[in-house]
Amino acid sequence: MIKCHTCQTANLDSSRFCDECGSKLVPAVVSDVAPLTPAYVPPVVELPPLRPASVTSIGVPQMDADPEPPHSAPDNADNMPPKLAHATLIIERGAVLGTEFRLTTDETIIGRWDADNGVFPEVDLDTHDHEAKVSRRHARIIRNNGSYMIEDLGSTNGTYINRGRRLLPGTPQMISDGDEVIVGKTFLRFHITQ
């Protein structure tokens, strides 16, 4: 048996970590000399991963240490200008009024950030949804030839347009400039910018 140096629990000789406290076990050395006291090995503490700042939100502090000057050239390989937003979603009722999310792709997921399950929505309402009423993958906005549709992705608390009936999951509905979109308890205003 190997005795844990942290909590003094006896563990099997084949154990590498203490069954009680999780500390790394140091096997005792058998010799004719007086028994050695194992060196203290601190327990391993895992820190949660850092959460990157949302790249699609405006008005949210960015995590960049050195902000880029306003008129500097883009640093991408093709020297292409950054993607322009074709539409926006603005929080009108919720935790942070006026927060704007820019839509730059043809398909935009609305939800809450979840690194453990690989969910990284373009419209991340995690910090704005204190009651967790927005699902991880709540809804998506699809742009096709200048028209827009929104589709509920099987959310728990539903998606609504202009306070109408709850959208059926998997059934896209047309949305227009100025429409109100409700996800969970967060009220957003949809605007087409291009």
Side-chain angles (χ1 to χ4, degrees):
M1 298 298 274
I2 300 174
K3 192 172 190 180
C4 176
H5 61 278
T6 304
C7 68
Q8 308 303 317
T9 301
N11 295 276
L12 295 174
D13 289 334
S14 61
S15 298
R16 293 179 55 207
F17 297 94
C18 178
D19 292 335
E20 185 67 32
C21 71
S23 295
K24 186 171 183 176
L25 298 174
V26 179
V29 178
V30 179
S31 68
D32 294 335
V33 186
L36 296 175
T37 305
Y40 173 74
V41 178
V44 177
V45 177
E46 297 218 9
L47 298 174
L50 290 176
R51 181 169 182 252
S54 173
V55 295
T56 58
S57 60
I58 295 175
V60 175
Q62 298 296 312
M63 295 178 69
D64 299 321
D66 299 321
E68 214 176 277
H71 298 291
S72 66
D75 61 348
N76 57 2
D78 300 328
N79 206 18
M80 298 291 292
K83 288 185 177 181
L84 296 175
H86 55 80
T88 60
L89 285 171
I90 301 171
I91 296 179
E92 289 193 335
R93 183 171 159 198
V96 185
L97 298 178
T99 301
E100 183 175 300
F101 298 93
R102 299 171 357 136
L103 284 58
T104 59
T105 58
D106 288 336
E107 184 175 307
T108 303
I109 302 294
I110 301 169
R112 289 188 300 123
W113 192 84
D114 181 11
D116 293 338
N117 293 310
V119 179
F120 306 103
E122 289 81 12
V123 176
D124 177 16
L125 295 174
D126 191 42
T127 57
H128 308 294
D129 178 37
H130 301 297
E131 296 180 44
K133 297 295 183 184
V134 175
S135 297
R136 300 287 184 208
R137 289 179 43 86
H138 196 102
R140 74 175 160 184
I141 294 178
I142 304 160
R143 177 177 73 159
N144 187 11
N145 294 325
S147 63
Y148 290 84
M149 302 186 87
I150 188 165
E151 175 184 7
D152 185 88
L153 299 175
S155 65
T156 302
N157 293 303
T159 303
Y160 303 85
I161 302 170
N162 297 324
R163 302 186 191 205
R165 297 183 63 165
R166 181 177 178 157
L167 298 183
L168 293 173
T171 307
Q173 296 292 315
M174 295 291 292
I175 55 172
S176 303
D177 185 48
D179 280 352
E180 180 183 58
V181 175
I182 304 171
V183 289
K185 285 190 173 181
T186 304
F187 291 61
L188 304 158
R189 184 70 59 186
F190 175 75
H191 290 290
I192 298 172
T193 58
Q194 286 186 347

